Amino acid sequence: MATESESIEWSLEATPTWAVATVCFILIFISVFLEHLLHLLSKYLHRKRRLALIQALDNIKSELMMLGFISLLLTVLEKPIANICIPKNVGETFLPCSSLDSDEDTEEETKCQNQGKVSLLSRVGVRELQYLIFILALFHSLSCILTFGLGMAKMRKWEAWEAETRTLDYQFANDPRRFKLLHQTSFGRRHIKYWSDHRLLRWPVSFMRQFHHSVSRTDYLTLRHGFITVHLSEGSNFDFQKYIKRALEEDFGVVVGMRCYPNPLDPNKILEYYFNFWFLIILITLIDYIYNLCFCSLWVWMFAVIFIFFHAYVFHNYLWLPFFPLAMLLLVGTKLQGIIIKLCLKSDQQSHVVRGTLLVRPSDHFFWFRKPRLTLYLIHFILFQNSFQLAFFTWTWFKFGFRSCFHQETEDIVIRLLMGAAVQFLCGYVTLPLYALVTQMGTSMRPVVFAENVMEGLKRWRATARKNLTLRNPYSAGVADPLFRHSADTSVASSPSFNTLHVPLSIAIDPQQEDEHLPMDTQGDSVARRSYDEE
């Protein structure tokens, strides 16, 4: 009798109100405290004008909200899911453990047993799944933060290389009046070898270079010179290292979220101008939801579903599944190293004589499917795979013990921990800095080439122009402004060089705004040139 009375679960009807109020107060206090910490972090980033990191923080909040919504659905649908009965022979297939045992039966399971069936997912299983979702959200966010922290630490040495470009010794060594053969340059000596013309030999060399001087000083200086010469102007005092840092901060907002591919149809911009057409609002919202489901969240979460399915003991997945993220990561790093070699070979084919510094020509055709951003999405997918495997291992350890049926073999534990740590370190300290440098060798530059104060000045100029256009002709302003906004946002990304922008551009800044922004009456290309010199 004592045992039966101890196993009774008391409802709120038999629980003291002070106990319920105490638990609610603790939960609310913890939630408000964490929300206040995020608010302070957001204010700090606003004060430092780190807009890309603010966007990344918003993506983290969206990810936590989405996973919290999934957990809420599991709580609400806990009983209906347990009431779904399936044949017993089907319920005993693809089990994570070789033996099936159950310590306790709930009301729903007893109902299914009376029918000669089993429950699709017991209420205990639904509760345990909620722990997995919480651990996954925690591990994915921490994994992305740790990866970018390692990448930023590795790229600190680039500050010394960037400062070297402003010294007299560097300018004298790279005087445009001096001529030399390409194979005499340090970049040529590093990449032009007997194996350079053979694709089958280039791949092993590119693979091995990831582990020793993945980004060398000569690679950084040569790619920097090519970027500035092609997109800006030769001899410009542009801080390439700060530009890469801003671009990487923007990429962090993509990687830390659960979405992979940006939607070319931005519903926020369209609805801003056509909010009066209710049928258009419904149509665009539906299209945006289907797009995010098919091209973003679905592909990321599909791996989680496949991973859970292949965790049945009959697959012995610990012998092959943990190696997938590592294989993909090494493939991405090999491709990036191969692009640097191809840039050198392309310059050698064009001319064997170098004037001043070796010039490499950025182009999208060096990348997979001519899309440099595809590499970022692969890194995103790799980090999600790795964080999910580590979260799954931690969840099984926490809920079922270190030596549960999920990890009966010692090799299983060793392989998963080693692969998770190796992928985390290689992605942050090797592949990410290599990606940050090599992906700048695309045909177009990114809008973050402007400093944030310059971008804010351009946005205020656009808002003033739109206001003036609306006062002149309200109808034409509502139709033409979306096209104007799209042109203003993509002009930098679609133009291979600022030297082709000869249209005078006047920016009128409100004098009441902060003095940190652009000076008044800035004309033409001086907007870009002044921002580069300030960098």
Side-chain angles (χ1 to χ4, degrees):
M1 293 296 294
T3 305
E4 293 180 359
S5 62
E6 290 177 359
S7 61
I8 297 177
E9 295 183 359
W10 299 98
S11 65
L12 291 180
E13 295 176 334
T15 304
T17 55
W18 65 264
V20 178
T22 302
V23 173
C24 291
F25 172 77
I26 295 175
L27 293 177
I28 294 174
F29 178 80
I30 296 175
S31 301
V32 172
F33 178 73
L34 294 177
E35 193 276 336
H36 184 65
L37 288 181
L38 293 177
H39 179 68
L40 292 178
L41 179 59
S42 179
K43 289 179 62 178
Y44 173 79
L45 295 177
H46 274 287
R47 188 166 62 250
K48 295 294 183 179
R49 300 188 180 277
R50 310 297 288 273
L51 301 182
L53 294 182
I54 295 173
Q55 181 64 32
L57 182 62
D58 292 338
N59 289 342
I60 293 177
K61 294 179 181 179
S62 300
E63 176 185 344
L64 296 177
M65 183 177 64
M66 182 184 65
L67 294 176
F69 183 72
I70 295 176
S71 180
L72 178 62
L73 285 179
L74 288 175
T75 302
V76 174
L77 300 177
E78 178 180 316
K79 186 174 182 179
I81 292 176
N83 281 325
I84 301 176
C85 301
I86 58 176
K88 190 173 183 180
N89 59 342
V90 177
E92 294 179 353
T93 58
F94 298 102
L95 295 175
C97 305
S98 57
S99 60
L100 177 63
D101 55 350
S102 179
D103 298 334
E104 57 181 11
D105 294 334
T106 61
E107 177 184 352
E108 292 77 14
E109 292 175 326
T110 305
K111 175 183 175 182
C112 292
Q113 288 178 359
N114 295 335
Q115 302 176 7
K117 300 179 179 181
V118 295
S119 179
L120 175 64
L121 186 62
S122 66
R123 303 184 73 168
V124 176
V126 173
R127 295 168 190 168
E128 293 172 345
L129 195 58
Q130 295 180 12
Y131 284 99
L132 175 61
I133 293 175
F134 171 77
I135 296 176
L136 174 60
L138 179 64
F139 266 75
H140 181 59
S141 300
L142 293 179
S143 175
C144 294
I145 294 174
L146 179 60
T147 300
F148 275 78
L150 288 174
M152 290 296 184
K154 176 68 175 296
M155 290 187 295
R156 282 187 179 275
K157 64 173 63 175
W158 296 2
E159 297 179 1
W161 297 345
E162 186 69 32
E164 182 184 345
T165 60
R166 297 179 177 86
T167 61
L168 295 177
D169 293 339
Y170 176 83
Q171 297 176 6
F172 176 76
N174 298 274
D175 192 343
R177 294 171 294 182
R178 301 179 62 181
F179 293 86
K180 65 181 74 173
L181 296 177
L182 190 142
H183 68 270
Q184 294 177 341
T185 63
S186 57
F187 191 73
R189 290 194 302 266
R190 174 175 168 83
H191 298 291
I192 298 180
K193 303 286 186 178
Y194 63 92
W195 43 260
S196 302
D197 296 328
H198 303 280
R199 178 178 298 180
L200 295 179
L201 297 179
R202 284 202 307 264
W203 278 91
V205 174
S206 300
F207 175 82
M208 296 303 298
R209 281 189 172 177
Q210 300 178 76
F211 310 103
H212 181 67
H213 294 298
S214 58
V215 178
S216 64
R217 170 182 170 276
T218 181
D219 291 343
Y220 175 84
L221 296 178
T222 303
L223 298 186
R224 173 190 180 278
H225 175 72
F227 177 89
I228 293 178
T229 302
V230 173
H231 293 302
L232 308 177
S233 64
E234 187 174 3
S236 175
N237 194 24
F238 177 68
D239 197 322
F240 187 59
Q241 192 268 342
K242 285 188 177 180
Y243 164 71
I244 292 180
K245 184 178 179 181
R246 290 197 301 267
L248 196 60
E249 289 177 355
E250 185 181 51
D251 294 337
F252 178 68
V254 177
V255 174
V256 78
M258 288 294 187
R259 297 188 176 188
C260 293
Y261 303 94
N263 190 349
L265 179 63
D266 192 340
N268 296 325
K269 293 181 180 180
I270 299 178
L271 296 180
E272 183 178 348
Y273 302 100
Y274 303 104
F275 58 91
N276 293 326
F277 302 94
W278 61 268
F279 62 90
L280 188 60
I281 295 177
I282 297 177
L283 178 62
I284 293 176
T285 305
L286 181 62
I287 293 175
D288 182 63
Y289 173 77
I290 295 175
Y291 181 90
N292 291 329
L293 180 64
C294 296
F295 295 96
C296 300
S297 302
L298 181 63
W299 297 110
V300 176
W301 287 103
M302 187 61 66
F303 170 79
V305 177
I306 294 175
F307 178 84
I308 294 176
F309 172 76
F310 280 110
H311 212 82
Y313 76 96
V314 295
F315 293 114
H316 300 284
N317 65 82
Y318 68 91
L319 297 175
W320 53 276
L321 192 57
F323 295 93
F324 271 7
L326 181 63
M328 293 181 60
L329 184 64
L330 294 178
L331 179 62
V332 170
T334 303
K335 176 62 177 179
L336 295 174
Q337 288 286 352
I339 291 175
I340 299 179
I341 298 176
K342 288 182 179 180
L343 287 169
C344 183
L345 294 177
K346 186 69 174 179
S347 300
D348 185 46
Q349 294 174 1
Q350 294 176 350
S351 176
H352 297 288
V353 180
V354 177
R355 183 178 65 89
T357 306
L358 174 64
L359 178 62
V360 293
R361 294 284 180 178
S363 178
D364 287 345
H365 80 272
F366 293 112
F367 297 88
W368 282 319
F369 304 104
R370 298 177 179 270
K371 295 185 179 298
R373 294 279 288 179
L374 180 61
T375 309
L376 175 65
Y377 305 142
L378 290 176
I379 294 177
H380 178 199
F381 187 66
I382 291 169
L383 286 177
F384 183 81
Q385 290 184 63
N386 191 60
S387 60
F388 188 88
Q389 294 197 42
L390 291 176
F392 192 88
F393 177 82
T394 306
W395 170 70
T396 54
W397 184 3
F398 174 75
K399 293 298 297 181
F400 308 103
F402 190 72
R403 281 292 187 178
S404 65
C405 65
F406 286 93
H407 310 290
Q408 292 180 345
E409 302 294 336
T410 305
E411 296 82 358
D412 185 354
I413 300 175
V414 174
I415 290 175
R416 293 186 188 278
L417 292 179
L418 287 181
M419 289 300 101
V423 170
Q424 192 69 49
F425 177 78
L426 288 176
C427 186
Y429 204 72
V430 177
T431 308
L432 188 65
L434 187 62
Y435 154 82
L437 177 63
V438 176
T439 51
Q440 310 307 325
M441 294 296 103
T443 303
S444 58
M445 73 176 76
R446 300 174 59 176
V448 291
V449 68
F450 286 122
E452 293 179 354
N453 58 344
V454 179
M455 291 297 295
E456 291 184 7
L458 292 174
K459 290 179 181 179
R460 287 202 304 275
W461 164 76
R462 183 182 64 187
T464 302
R466 192 178 78 179
K467 180 179 179 181
N468 295 333
L469 186 61
T470 305
L471 294 176
R472 295 176 183 176
N473 193 342
Y475 176 76
S476 63
V479 177
D481 191 71
L483 299 177
F484 171 75
R485 175 187 288 240
H486 176 75
S487 175
D489 290 341
T490 60
S491 60
V492 176
S494 61
S495 177
S497 175
F498 272 113
N499 296 328
T500 59
L501 302 177
H502 298 295
V503 181
L505 178 65
S506 60
I507 301 180
I509 306 298
D510 189 354
Q512 298 179 355
Q513 299 290 338
E514 300 179 10
D515 298 334
E516 297 177 340
H517 300 298
L518 287 176
M520 299 178 60
D521 300 330
T522 305
Q523 299 288 334
D525 291 344
S526 60
V527 178
R529 303 299 180 197
R530 184 173 304 176
S531 64
Y532 305 147
D533 295 337
E534 291 177 354
E535 291 297 319

